[in-house]
Amino acid sequence: MELKAKGSTSIKALLVEDIEVCRLVLSTILLRLHCEVTLAMNGKEAVDLFLEGKKFDIVLFDKNMPIMTGPEAIVKIRAMGETDVKMVGVSADDHAMEAFMSVGADLFVPKPMRMEALGPIIQEVINKKKNDMV
């Protein structure tokens, strides 16, 4: 499912989260930050989107999901040569940071995610995208 904010920054965000309430909260924050948001329920759905040729500027992964975890999906997506997309692990799990960073995530942000934490990350992606266009 794709969601678009008014005045979109053209930042394409993929949110990979199996819990509906967390999807709602995180997608609302991303929309408020003017991102185009695509939702996936697990890591396999995220990998499939990349296999279909979809491109994203940033991907936020939950850690523990059915079918395929966030860290497992990062390994598969990085193996496809997707090195430019910013991969962010998001979890309330105490050991999640190590699990994400050891497989190639760019960042880890603990839950509950706040706009104050995500705003600077999105701004960094916007700045990188602008610099790449020059």
Side-chain angles (χ1 to χ4, degrees):
M1 176 195 293
E2 290 187 23
L3 308 166
K4 286 191 180 183
K6 289 181 179 166
S8 174
T9 59
S10 79
I11 294 298
K12 294 182 183 341
L14 174 59
L15 174 57
V16 189
E17 172 64 68
D18 62 319
I19 299 171
E20 188 173 355
V21 132
C22 294
R23 265 196 321 271
L24 179 64
V25 170
L26 289 172
S27 63
T28 300
I29 292 171
L30 288 165
L31 288 168
R32 285 188 180 162
L33 293 169
H34 307 290
C35 294
E36 286 181 28
V37 182
T38 300
L39 303 174
M41 305 282 232
N42 58 60
K44 183 182 181 321
E45 287 185 14
V47 169
D48 288 346
L49 288 167
F50 279 92
L51 286 171
E52 291 168 12
K54 299 273 197 291
K55 296 288 182 192
F56 300 97
D57 300 301
I58 185 168
V59 184
L60 285 82
F61 292 93
D62 184 29
K63 181 174 179 256
N64 297 316
M65 296 175 285
I67 304 172
M68 185 184 293
T69 68
E72 290 169 335
I74 290 173
V75 168
K76 291 185 179 297
I77 293 167
R78 290 287 193 220
M80 290 179 213
E82 294 290 344
T83 55
D84 288 341
V85 61
K86 187 170 223 50
M87 305 258 186
V88 181
V90 183
S91 180
D93 182 338
D94 289 339
H95 306 290
M97 182 176 191
E98 183 181 330
F100 278 110
M101 300 310 285
S102 67
V103 297
D106 297 298
L107 279 172
F108 173 77
V109 182
K111 283 183 182 174
M113 169 82 70
R114 300 206 181 324
M115 183 156 336
E116 298 79 32
L118 194 51
I121 297 167
I122 295 299
Q123 190 58 55
E124 185 183 316
V125 172
I126 291 168
N127 293 344
K128 181 185 181 303
K129 196 168 180 176
K130 283 180 183 172
N131 290 336
D132 289 349
M133 296 171 105
V134 176

